[in-house]
Amino acid sequence: MIESGWSIVLSCPSLVYFIDTKMDDLIMMLESNKESLKLEAMKRIVGLIAKGKNAYELFPAVVKNVASKNIELKKLVYVYLVRYAEEQQDLALLSISTFQRALKDPNQLIRASALRVLSSIRVPIIVPIMMLAIKEAATDLSPYVRKTAAHAIQKLYSLDPDQKEHLIEVIEKLLKDKSTLVAGSVVMAFEEVCPDRIDLIHKNYRKLCNLLVDVEEWGQVVIIHMLTRYARTQFVSPWREDAVFDENSEKTFYDSEGRRVDQSKPYIMDPDHRLLLRNTKPLLQSRNTAVVMAVSQLYWHLAPKHELSIITKSLVRLLRSHREVQYIVLQNIATMSIQRKGMFEPFMKSFYVRSTDATHIKTLKLEILTNLANEANISTILRELQTYVKSQDKAFAAATIQAIGRCATNISEVTDTCLNGLVLLLSNRDETVVAESVVVIKKLLQTQPSQHSDIIKHMAKLFDSITVPMARASILWLMGEYCEHVPKNAPDVLRKMAKTFISEEDIVKLQTVNLAAKLYLSNSKQTKLLTQYILNLGKYDQNYDIRDRTRFIRQLIVPNEKSGALSRYARRILMAPKPAPVLQSAFKDRDRFQLGTLSHTLNSQSNGYLELSDWPAVAPDQSVRIVEVVELAGAPLLGKSKPGKSAEKFYSDSEEEEEEEGSSSEDSSSSSKSESESESEENSDDSNKSSSSESDSEKKKKTLKNKKLQQQKPDSKDRYCHDLALFLSQSHLFFLNKFLVVFKFNLRCIANVHYSKKKALLLFIMTKFFSIHIVLAFSNQFVANCRCSLLCLCVFLACQFDAVSWHVRVSLQASFPVFVPETSHELLHRMTGKGLSAQYRFTRQPCIYGNSMVSLQLTLSNSSDQALENIHISEKSSTGQNIHRFNAIERLEPQASVTVSMGVDFNDSTQAANFQLCVSIQPAVGELLLPITMTEADFTKEQGKLLGMNESSATITMTPENISSQSVNRKVVSVANLGVIPSSQENIHSVPRRCLNLTKPTFWNVIKKTNCS
Amino acid sequence: MIHSLFLINNAGDLFLEKHWKSVISRSVCDYFFEAREKAVEPDNVPPVIRTPHHYLINIYREKIFFVSVIQTEVPPLFVIEFLHRVAETFQDYFGECSETTIKDNVVIVYELLEEMLDNGFPLATESNILKELIRPPTILRSMVNTITGSSNVGETLPTGQLSNIPWRRAGVKYTNNEAYFDVVEEIDAILDKSGTTVFAEIQGVIDACVKLSGMPDLTLSFMNPRLLDDVSFHPCVRYKRWESERVISFIPPDGNFQLMSYHISAQNLVAIPIYVKQNISFFETGSSGRLDIAVGPKQTMGKTVECLVVTVHMPKVVLSANLSATQGTYNYDPVTKILLWDIGKLNPQKLPNLKGSLSLQSGAPKPEENPSLNIDLKIQQLAISGLKVNRLDMYGEKYKPFKGVKYVTKAGKFQVRT
């Protein structure tokens, strides 16, 4: 049964997935021992899920496979779990422990996918577990896992909003992350969980701006939208105060701009505001349309008006993209073009309609063309519109007529031309076109009715042939409104209407009643009876609107004793001159929504829409965005202290530093002290100690005084330096000035400090506070007499600066290494390495494998007595650092050594690079043996069992001087790990003799055999 | 963000669903079906549809509707762009993106969708990374897999995911190192009845096929970069270099990709390679019409126009066409009302001509508007804008790659109004 199903799968997979498979079969397959059968079953189940078929009774059978070794099977089980866990919560709990284990897996992909599934299964009971997992993953070494953690935040939040506070903490931590991979996802989480906590962004604002270009494209969209909102709350308006004036007359705005700057008080843009605009600009060239749109809306909402024009080209470019993209972009352009015609006018032709466009694209293009119309280009646009009217797409033709109407009202020069054109359309064969024309003409006529009585007459004639209710109603309204201009036709039309009243649409009926009332007032002689007839019909109409209207009109126009003062004014009420309707764009008020959003597209507020606030009148404090010096982009490099950080940030910051610090000290010490692996454990203890002493030093902070420091004894200097370093790393910049003195002292004492670890630490601290020049100058002093670890730290520090300040890079690149240390460091001791020893050296040459790599020279030597084979670095690198491995060394002969170079990208951090050196050692055969003791009798007995196939022999010729049993024994023992069987006198003779002749190999075999057994 | 995805074919069958958050019943698609019905043509379906509790954002591609369900505010272009990326990935993996291929590879489709989105937010969309995570199916591999039970799923995180050049995988090796660039330009134009140009512009793309070992750093420069007015680049291109030096400097992805797209500035006059003389008329009586189309070369820069095709969307009342072509073949489909005239190579000596009569539905009024003609053509070895690649340099690797540049001009949205 299963087998037959199997063969079908091979030949035609599509058939099998969609046949309604028997669940029992699937369960059987899942419970079988064969991996391939299980996989096949899972594939079919996924097929069922994809089809939307129910497969949830398989849950118990599927969940068993969650711990499978086969990665594909595992992934499919994950897919299944995520789909059904919500419905089978109890059973789903069985799988949790597997994920928890996987969260600790050395493979980052497995950690990440475990977190993904764990956070996706939406079982409320495991919220605490999820919370814990997220917290842990947020500090994972792999940025990919941290990214997954950011995604998990949103999932947990939607599952249990009560966790908000804790989640915000995690978000805060992740926002500080420097990895571009994480940035987009964490901002997404921020937007979802706590979009109002704008204070979390302050510190990261500049970092986000600077990272933006390198963030993956989807993250860019989210970040740009968030930064738009942020900027609107933090900066003052770059638009002039008289914004109303701007909007209405672009031209004057442009012309007078130069002058006006001088007049009004100068506006100076916040450098951070400028930074955002500058850093988003290149993204207009992105291939991702969403990114381009996001930048465009950012410019629209944030940029000074005169800089807006740069987004035009990019938006027009997007019109080349897919239909759906066009739709959204055109909508946004429509909104923009109402406010700022000038932006898109040069690209007017890009909005010309093609017959192959979809209807909604056509109408949007039309909308934009109408918005762009002005005196100068109206003739071109009208000519274009004329071709559209003839379009086979009638809905579009109707829209065109409306557009013509709008042009006509907006630009008075062409009103007459348009009107004439529209009248011509009245004889069109297509009804919708005629109807639309009537409606538009009606609106146009309202502006100047007296001159156009012939048009009204013409329309009265058309009345019979027009069946579209809206058009009929419009004609009726026109007749009533201007009945004085067409005194003969109007009563006639009313007469016709009286005949057909019952069968008309409601809207026509209402207008008939209107017409009747107006005629009654102006021409009661002819129409009195007709009016009464129509009012009677209306009185018994099915539609209550019409009944109401009829009743009202009757009271109003027919005077009787009951009607009060109102009827005296009936004529003035009904025949009052009415203002002409304003034909305006449907996009007129769309700008209340942020461009590029769903709400803007739908023109109504959608769930979760975040309002864009108005510019603040006064900019909030700018200094909140200032971060530590190291991260300041393009900041002046002065040896002075920077404005202080805010107090609440302070602790969390120091935590981060502590981390870096811990790793740097660990790194430097492990490299400098020539410690073997076992000793490095001690190291980590050490760093633990340092972090525990942290709290102490914190307490001591205030009491630590300069004087006291200087009194330290020379041998306690190390300790003191350490403390100082820790203290400083936490201390507020405010204290810094006071410590400048201390530092001068320090510079002297650093030279005396013995442990490079401490030196490194101090240096590290200094870079945090001092300008690079001082540090570099100072580190040059070290170059001559310090250990390599310190030097490499210097390089790292330089690199750190490199990231933020380009001039430093220039100066750094220009110079050759001042000093290349010859000393190399033990990586692997020959004892721990089982004969393989490795030493490394930083060559300080630019790395050939990549710009960001540090080149490293590795000397491998084989101090054992066997050849080592296939030495290479294992593929697995847990830290996510990019390591350029050296090519595998095929064979390293005993006592030989080889030098290879490799590159390590430390990601500008001082985090230690971890890699595994894999060596395969092929042992000599003799080493596989173990000596045993046995009597000769046993020996011969055992040997007797092993004759025949087990016997193999070879002859060795020996020089006479080696014939002595002693020397033979020695030789044999030196090659192989053997024991000599002592007792029997024959044996002593026989062994060498047999060695000489044929029997020695037998001897070998016997031992080998016993060895195995 | 994206909550669920439904794939619906042209006939309205929902053949695949995928949820990234809690399951949303497929009945939500009823709103889509309603809109679909109202739109008549699949192209006219509005991309964003509002329902009481959700928003449906859909794209229509290769006769499939990709309908995504959204619950909260999200930039609609974000979703649209992503859905197109999904369709492109399918195309990349299965050769074409059709209902059949998706159904045949439903497991891979599911695995892909799982990798591409996490909780509705894009996770990995770069094809190089996806291909390392989930290997594209080949006949050989699926055979081997069924026998050995090995899988299509990668076990480690692709290195690209973590590096700052996620588009390139590490350790690429080729025996023949080659880099080809196709400069493809499309002319978008609208010509009016008399043959004068209403609107014309040139849009170009440079498609690349780069198969180079290691980490090559390429620099492409043009003879006349000033021609390029508006450009958009693959993320690999260093924008700063373009800004300052007008050269395109990049570490290429492995394989096929679109390096850049550009727009030729409107100031330059666009050369229109062909002229079209047409005369289509419908008679008031007798329910018939005449059609006469002739095509000839105009500004072809001495090159031959190939693959010339004229498409006419006839009015609904045209029942059949009785025509004769001096060159090529014509075909009139009475269902879709599309007249297709495949001319092939344009011979300047003997100009192709299509003429004959059209028969209309009797009794129906004659159509007021003449149908417009859509032209398709191709000119090899010519970039109509005059853009020329100057040189391609490679840094970072030692070998000598084989380099090639090809120019093609095509008609984009080339329309002649009649």
Side-chain angles (χ1 to χ4, degrees), chain A residues 14 50-51 107 116 155 217 285 289 313 320 323-324 355 359 384 597-599 604 606-607, chain B residues 17 26 43-44 50 55 60 73 81 85 104 111 114 118 125 155 188 229 231 233 366 372 417:
Chain A
S14 67
K51 251 298 199 190
N107 183 340
R116 275 179 66 187
K155 299 182 210 168
E217 44 198 355
Q285 257 60 48
T289 57
K313 263 185 201 168
R320 285 274 303 173
R323 176 183 70 93
E324 298 83 8
S355 59
T359 308
E384 190 64 21
T597 59
L598 186 61
S599 306
S604 75
S606 52
N607 302 333
Chain B
E17 62 177 68
R26 54 166 68 192
D43 268 341
N44 285 346
R50 193 155 108 196
Y55 307 96
Y60 179 64
E73 172 66 51
E81 178 79 24
R85 213 55 81 77
D104 282 352
E111 284 168 347
E114 189 71 27
D118 180 18
T125 48
E155 300 202 11
D188 285 1
D229 181 36
V231 284
F233 295 119
K366 87 170 183 116
S372 50
R417 288 175 179 168

Side-chain angles (χ1 to χ4, degrees), chain A residues 354-368:
Chain A
R354 292 188 167 77
S355 59
T356 41
D357 286 336
T359 308
H360 51 257
I361 303 280
K362 284 182 187 165
T363 24
L364 279 170
K365 282 187 172 173
L366 199 61
E367 177 73 42
I368 294 167

Side-chain angles (χ1 to χ4, degrees), chain A residues 398-658:
Chain A
T400 310
I401 293 166
Q402 288 207 1
I404 294 175
R406 262 179 60 203
C407 290
T409 44
N410 294 344
I411 299 157
S412 52
E413 282 91 336
V414 291
T415 313
D416 283 342
T417 335
C418 291
L419 205 52
N420 290 336
L422 290 171
V423 171
L424 285 180
L425 288 179
L426 288 177
S427 50
N428 195 292
R429 211 179 287 112
D430 191 85
E431 193 165 271
T432 42
V433 172
V434 177
E436 203 63 42
S437 313
V438 169
V439 176
V440 173
I441 288 173
K442 179 206 121 188
K443 288 176 182 165
L444 284 180
L445 284 183
Q446 268 183 277
T447 50
Q448 46 210 150
S450 53
Q451 303 150 27
H452 297 295
S453 53
D454 47 335
I455 296 177
I456 302 176
K457 278 178 198 154
H458 181 67
M459 287 168 77
K461 276 180 209 145
L462 276 175
F463 187 71
D464 294 334
S465 55
I466 293 174
T467 55
V468 177
M470 191 59 209
R472 283 176 80 87
S474 295
I475 294 178
L476 287 174
W477 186 87
L478 272 178
M479 291 290 151
E481 193 62 28
Y482 306 115
C483 52
E484 277 132 9
H485 301 294
V486 282
K488 290 199 179 111
N489 308 58
D492 195 44
V493 171
L494 187 66
R495 182 183 56 77
K496 284 180 195 159
M497 279 313 297
K499 274 200 246 173
T500 57
F501 186 85
I502 306 166
S503 54
E504 294 291 346
E505 286 282 326
D506 290 346
I507 183 172
V508 184
K509 283 177 182 169
L510 283 175
Q511 287 308 327
T512 313
V513 173
N514 249 352
L515 172 65
K518 285 173 181 168
L519 283 178
Y520 182 86
L521 291 173
S522 61
N523 187 3
S524 61
K525 201 170 71 185
Q526 268 186 308
T527 56
K528 191 171 180 183
L529 283 172
L530 268 176
T531 308
Q532 257 160 11
Y533 175 67
I534 286 169
L535 289 179
N536 281 336
L537 285 178
K539 191 176 173 184
Y540 299 106
D541 198 89
Q542 284 184 321
N543 185 308
Y544 52 78
D545 256 355
I546 293 162
R547 293 200 299 274
D548 274 1
R549 178 75 63 89
T550 317
R551 225 170 278 138
F552 165 70
I553 293 284
R554 189 190 291 276
Q555 292 299 317
L556 191 66
I557 60 171
V558 186
N560 56 14
E561 61 282 7
K562 271 188 232 160
S563 65
L566 205 58
S567 62
R568 266 184 280 143
Y569 300 105
R571 193 184 167 81
R572 277 167 73 182
I573 292 171
L574 284 175
M575 303 301 273
K578 296 166 185 71
V582 185
L583 297 175
Q584 61 181 13
S585 165
F587 286 82
K588 185 77 186 159
D589 54 350
R590 286 233 183 154
D591 55 340
R592 66 201 157 110
F593 293 112
Q594 186 176 355
L595 290 185
T597 59
L598 186 61
S599 306
H600 175 268
T601 301
L602 296 167
N603 197 19
S604 75
Q605 186 155 340
S606 52
N607 302 333
Y609 173 74
L610 301 165
E611 195 94 23
L612 206 58
S613 69
D614 278 332
W615 297 101
V618 182
D621 187 15
Q622 301 177 6
S623 59
V624 287
R625 282 185 294 277
I626 293 172
V627 249
E628 314 100 276
V629 185
V630 216
E631 287 175 3
L632 254 182
L637 295 170
L638 297 171
K640 284 183 189 164
S641 65
K642 293 282 158 192
K645 310 181 249 176
S646 71
E648 51 164 303
K649 276 289 187 178
F650 162 61
Y651 289 105
S652 47
D653 265 0
S654 68
E655 261 172 41
E656 197 190 28
E657 280 159 25
E658 176 203 320

Side-chain angles (χ1 to χ4, degrees), chain B residues 294-309:
Chain B
V295 188
K298 206 169 162 190
Q299 295 159 288
T300 57
M301 324 269 177
K303 301 280 197 291
T304 337
V305 179
E306 295 168 36
C307 302
L308 191 58
V309 178

